[in-house]
Amino acid sequence: MRRSKADAAQTRQRIVETAATEFRRHGIHATGVAEVMAAAGLSHGGFYRHFDSKSVLVTEACETAMAAIVHTIEQSAAQGGTREDAFRAIVQAYLACPTAGEAAPECPFVGIGSELARTDAETRTAATRGFADMVEVIGEQVGGGDADAARSRAVFAVCAMIGAATVARIINDPDLAATVLEDVKAHLIPPDTRSRAPRRRTPKAST
Amino acid sequence: MRRSKADAAQTRQRIVETAATEFRRHGIHATGVAEVMAAAGLSHGGFYRHFDSKSVLVTEACETAMAAIVHTIEQSAAQGGTREDAFRAIVQAYLACPTAGEAAPECPFVGIGSELARTDAETRTAATRGFADMVEVIGEQVGGGDADAARSRAVFAVCAMIGAATVARIINDPDLAATVLEDVKAHLIPPDTRSRAPRRRTPKAST
DNA sequence: TGTACATCAGTGAACGCGCGTTCACTGATGTAC
DNA sequence: TGTACATCAGTGAACGCGCGTTCACTGATGTAC
C-alpha cells in the first residue's frame, strides 16, 4: 500500500530516531534491522525502500543521536544564569544517576562508544562533528581564559564525563558506580560553585 | 590426539590470552569463537573441551585483560622516582598515541567499554575489580591528601583517561584526536611537573 | 616395569538459528492525458 | 475535472551466510592391574 511522500518521509525519520535509541540502548551489533523496524511499528521487509544498507542507518542514527545530546547540553546550559551555573548544570545533568548503570542514556559516546571506533568513515565523521559540537557548547561556559584554553578545558570536561558514564555503566556495584559519578562531578565543578552536594573532606591543593 | 594435562592447561591459557587481545581489538560481538581459536592456532571444534560457552571465555578474557592493564600501569609507576613522576609516567603511557586511533590499546574499558556494560554479572564483576585495582595503583601516586581524597582523584584521572582514549579512537581526524589526548594529558598532569610537552599558552587560574 | 584399556584434547563436519538482504506481491498515491 | 496507468511504501516469505554449539572420530595420555 503506497504512502504519500510526506508519510514516507515521516516513516523514514521515525526509523532513524528509533534506531538512534535502540543502538544506544543495546549496541549496534546487537541490534538487528528487523528489531529497529519492529520498534518503529513496521515489518522488516520495507527497510530497503528507505536505506541502502544497515550501515547507512547507523550513520544517520549517529547523526541524530549526536544532535540530541548536543541539544540536551544546550538546554542544560540555558538553565544557569552565570556561565559557572550553566557549566554546573551541564555536568549535573550529564552525570545524573537515576540508576548509575544507565548514566548518560542519551550520549552515543557512552552507549556505543567502543563500537563507534569500528564504524565506517561516514559514521565516525558524524561522531567527530558531534564531539566538536559538544566541546563548542561547553567551551562557551568555561571561559576565564582565551578561546583555546576554554576549548581545551571543555575537551577535558567532555572526556571526563564520557569516561565516568562509561565506567559507571560497567561497574557491577551500584554504590561504587554512584561514587564514581560523584567523584567526577566533584572534580569537574569548582567547589565554591557547587550547590547541594557535600564538599570533599579536605579540599587540598589544586591538582 | 589427546594432550598431556600440562599441554591442555597451556592451550587453555593461550586461548584466553588470544581472546583478550581479539576482543579488545575487534569487539566482543564481532569476534567469533572460531576466530579466536584460529588466532590461537587451533580448530574451532575443540573450544568446548575448555569452556562451557563463549560468555565464560569473555569473562576470563576480561580478567586477563584487566590484569594486563593494571600490570602496565604498575610498571609505568615504577619508572618514576617521585610519586609525581610516577603519576606523570602513568598518564603519558596510557595516553601515548603512536596513532591516536589506537589509544590505550591494552585497556578493555576503551576497546570494549560499551560492550562490557551489557555482559553478564561475572564479566562485569571482573571489570569492576579491574577498575578498583587501577584506582588503587594510581591512588598511591596521587597523595597529598587523606586516603579518600587520593582515591577520589585517582577515580577522576582514570575516568578522564578512559574517556579521552575512547573519544580519540572514534574521532575521524588524526590531528583532532591527537589534540584531545594532549589536552587531557595537560589537564591531568600539573604544569610544573610536566617534562617535555609544551605548556599551554596561558596557564590561567586552576579549574 | 609392562600391558590393556579408558580417557579426553583436538579435528572437521554438521546442527539450528538469526542476521542482512532480496523479492513477489498489494494497493494507495502520483501523473499523464 | 475525470480516467487510466505507472510508481512505489509497506508486507511477509525466502535467500545465503556466519554464528554458537554439538558430535563422531582419532590417537596420544593416563591408569589399573
Side-chain angles (χ1 to χ4, degrees):
Chain A
M1 333 137 183
R2 186 179 183 182
R3 302 297 147 83
S4 71
K5 280 191 172 182
D7 278 0
Q10 204 173 335
T11 298
R12 197 195 138 99
Q13 191 179 342
R14 181 157 41 93
I15 296 170
V16 171
E17 278 163 12
T18 304
T21 302
E22 294 295 307
F23 287 151
R24 264 180 336 214
R25 197 171 298 170
H26 303 115
I28 296 173
H29 246 93
T31 305
V33 166
E35 207 172 323
V36 172
M37 293 297 277
L42 296 161
S43 63
H44 65 278
F47 177 78
Y48 293 88
R49 294 281 166 203
H50 296 287
F51 307 94
D52 281 345
S53 67
K54 180 184 178 180
S55 77
V56 172
L57 176 65
V58 170
T59 301
E60 295 199 29
C62 181
E63 285 166 355
T64 295
M66 289 293 166
I69 183 67
V70 170
H71 183 245
T72 296
I73 291 173
E74 279 170 341
Q75 289 209 313
S76 296
Q79 285 177 7
T82 66
R83 289 193 311 189
E84 277 182 351
D85 283 347
F87 179 72
R88 187 182 342 111
I90 291 168
V91 175
Q92 295 279 15
Y94 190 97
L95 295 184
C97 41
T99 10
E102 293 172 4
E106 256 198 318
C107 186
F109 285 102
V110 175
I112 51 176
S114 55
E115 284 184 290
L116 279 177
R118 301 181 188 101
T119 55
D120 59 22
E122 288 73 23
T123 304
R124 291 176 65 202
T125 298
T128 303
R129 282 206 200 96
F131 178 77
D133 289 346
M134 288 170 73
V135 168
E136 192 185 332
V137 172
I138 293 177
E140 287 164 10
Q141 316 303 336
V142 293
D146 58 289
D148 189 61
R151 182 203 53 75
S152 171
R153 277 205 251 168
V155 165
F156 182 60
V158 171
C159 288
M161 290 194 295
I162 290 170
T166 298
V167 166
R169 280 167 167 252
I170 294 169
I171 286 177
N172 211 6
D173 170 350
D175 292 338
L176 179 56
T179 301
V180 168
L181 293 178
E182 286 306 318
D183 283 335
V184 172
K185 273 190 227 171
H187 281 268
L188 279 178
I189 302 173
D192 32 297
T193 72
R194 299 190 75 202
S195 46
R196 290 154 307 197
R199 299 178 57 165
R200 290 260 130 235
R201 284 191 239 155
T202 357
K204 286 294 161 184
S206 63
T207 307
Chain B
M1 332 144 183
R2 186 178 183 184
R3 302 297 147 83
S4 71
K5 281 191 174 184
D7 277 1
Q10 204 173 335
T11 298
R12 198 194 138 97
Q13 192 180 342
R14 182 154 44 93
I15 296 170
V16 172
E17 279 165 12
T18 304
T21 303
E22 294 295 308
F23 288 151
R24 265 182 334 214
R25 197 172 296 171
H26 304 115
I28 295 172
H29 245 92
T31 304
V33 165
E35 208 171 323
V36 172
M37 292 298 276
L42 296 159
S43 64
H44 64 281
F47 177 79
Y48 294 88
R49 294 281 166 200
H50 296 286
F51 307 95
D52 280 345
S53 67
K54 180 184 178 180
S55 77
V56 172
L57 177 65
V58 170
T59 301
E60 296 200 27
C62 182
E63 286 167 355
T64 294
M66 288 294 167
I69 182 68
V70 170
H71 183 245
T72 296
I73 291 173
E74 280 171 341
Q75 288 210 312
S76 297
Q79 284 177 7
T82 68
R83 289 193 311 191
E84 277 181 349
D85 283 347
F87 179 72
R88 186 179 346 111
I90 291 168
V91 175
Q92 294 280 15
Y94 189 97
L95 295 183
C97 42
T99 17
E102 295 171 3
E106 258 199 319
C107 186
F109 285 102
V110 175
I112 52 176
S114 56
E115 284 184 289
L116 280 178
R118 301 181 188 101
T119 55
D120 59 21
E122 288 75 21
T123 304
R124 291 176 67 203
T125 298
T128 303
R129 282 207 200 98
F131 178 76
D133 289 345
M134 288 171 73
V135 168
E136 191 184 333
V137 172
I138 293 177
E140 288 165 11
Q141 316 303 333
V142 293
D146 58 288
D148 188 61
R151 184 205 53 76
S152 170
R153 277 205 249 168
V155 164
F156 183 59
V158 170
C159 289
M161 290 195 294
I162 290 170
T166 298
V167 166
R169 278 166 169 254
I170 293 168
I171 286 177
N172 212 4
D173 170 348
D175 291 338
L176 179 56
T179 301
V180 168
L181 294 177
E182 286 306 318
D183 283 335
V184 172
K185 273 189 229 172
H187 282 268
L188 279 179
I189 302 174
D192 33 296
T193 72
R194 299 189 75 205
S195 47
R196 289 154 309 197
R199 299 178 58 164
R200 290 259 129 236
R201 284 191 242 156
T202 358
K204 285 294 162 189
S206 63
T207 307

